[in-house]
Amino acid sequence: MISIGQLIKEELQAQERTVSWFARKLHLDRSNVYRLFQKNSIDTDLLGRISIILGRNFFEILANNLPDRKNQQDN
């Protein structure tokens, strides 16, 4: 499974935004943003806010990377 924290970090870098800018937008300390980059999962409300701030639908990215349930049930 894809690490959501890593995806967010990569998107922030792709947009050439700073951690300080992102922290201000999220109303978080920079240290909390760095912790966020290490997470494999985060609260959906926070993910929604991040999606709006960065203009990228992280829910769709995660949904597209879910394992196929049918294949799992067949095994």
Side-chain angles (χ1 to χ4, degrees), residues 14-68:
Q15 293 186 21
E16 298 181 351
R17 302 284 189 173
T18 66
V19 172
S20 295
W21 173 87
F22 193 48
R24 279 193 308 275
K25 292 290 189 179
L26 285 173
H27 305 287
L28 296 174
D29 292 331
R30 282 177 8 138
S31 61
N32 288 335
V33 171
Y34 285 112
R35 282 190 206 102
L36 175 73
F37 294 156
Q38 303 302 314
K39 295 196 176 259
N40 291 321
S41 64
I42 63 172
D43 178 78
T44 55
D45 180 59
L46 178 57
L47 187 58
R49 290 172 37 216
I50 291 168
S51 293
I52 291 167
I53 290 167
L54 294 179
R56 182 133 189 227
N57 187 345
F58 289 98
F59 293 101
E60 183 178 8
I61 294 166
L62 292 174
N64 288 337
N65 286 286
L66 286 173
D68 185 2

